[in-house]
Amino acid sequence: MLKKEDREHQKFMRMAISLSKKNVENYKGGPFGAVIVKEGRVIAKSANKVTTTNDPTAHAEISTIRQACKKLNTFDLTGCVIYTSCEPCPMCLGAIYWSHLDIIYYANTKSDAAEIGFDDQFIYDEIDMPMEDRKLPVVQILRNEAQEAFKLWDVSPMKISY
Ligand SMILES: [Zn+2]
């Protein structure tokens, strides 16, 4: 017999999984779904919307984070939990850290995703590599001019941490 808490987690994960399945069945996009929950209540849910919205950042997790922040009118999702049908890619993992979600529950692993053609290992490999050895060229220019905005921010009364 599962504990009540475990059943709750499974319930929300099944929602995420259901979103991922329906997305494929309805030809809406990739097999990924996510749900954000606060105090046992669903705040936001979304499937992957990359191909239907022409937005390469519209992964299920990012789309769900955007919805949740809009709904709660905040940029800080402390106190919320994300259920994602697949282990987050580096972009979504970063977004989850930035939004301060409390816990990540995931179902499929990143190697499960790699097996069906969604391989994000190359991004992890790139991050680990020195900039000059990366496949994507990264070129620094005009640091001095860009610093002006940083200096303004540093003394701005609007300065808040996030
Ligand atoms: Zn992602």
Side-chain angles (χ1 to χ4, degrees), residues 44-88:
K45 53 185 176 175
S46 181
N48 176 291
K49 299 192 286 193
V50 170
T51 51
T52 45
T53 59
N54 287 330
D55 179 354
T57 69
H59 287 192
E61 299 94 321
I62 301 250
S63 302
T64 310
I65 288 169
R66 285 189 181 132
Q67 258 185 47
C69 288
K70 203 169 179 185
K71 187 158 177 184
L72 299 175
N73 194 30
T74 178
F75 49 79
D76 183 349
L77 296 177
T78 300
C80 298
V81 170
I82 189 164
Y83 297 84
T84 172
S85 68
C86 185
E87 190 177 346

Side-chain angles (χ1 to χ4, degrees), residues 114-143:
E115 275 179 35
I116 58 157
F118 294 99
D119 194 355
D120 52 20
Q121 187 55 46
F122 75 97
I123 302 178
Y124 289 104
D125 295 344
E126 285 273 284
I127 290 170
D128 278 347
M129 222 159 331
M131 254 188 223
E132 59 274 17
D133 295 337
R134 291 184 193 163
K135 289 188 194 89
L136 182 73
V138 190
V139 185
Q140 186 186 32
I141 56 170
L142 294 180
R143 177 170 178 256

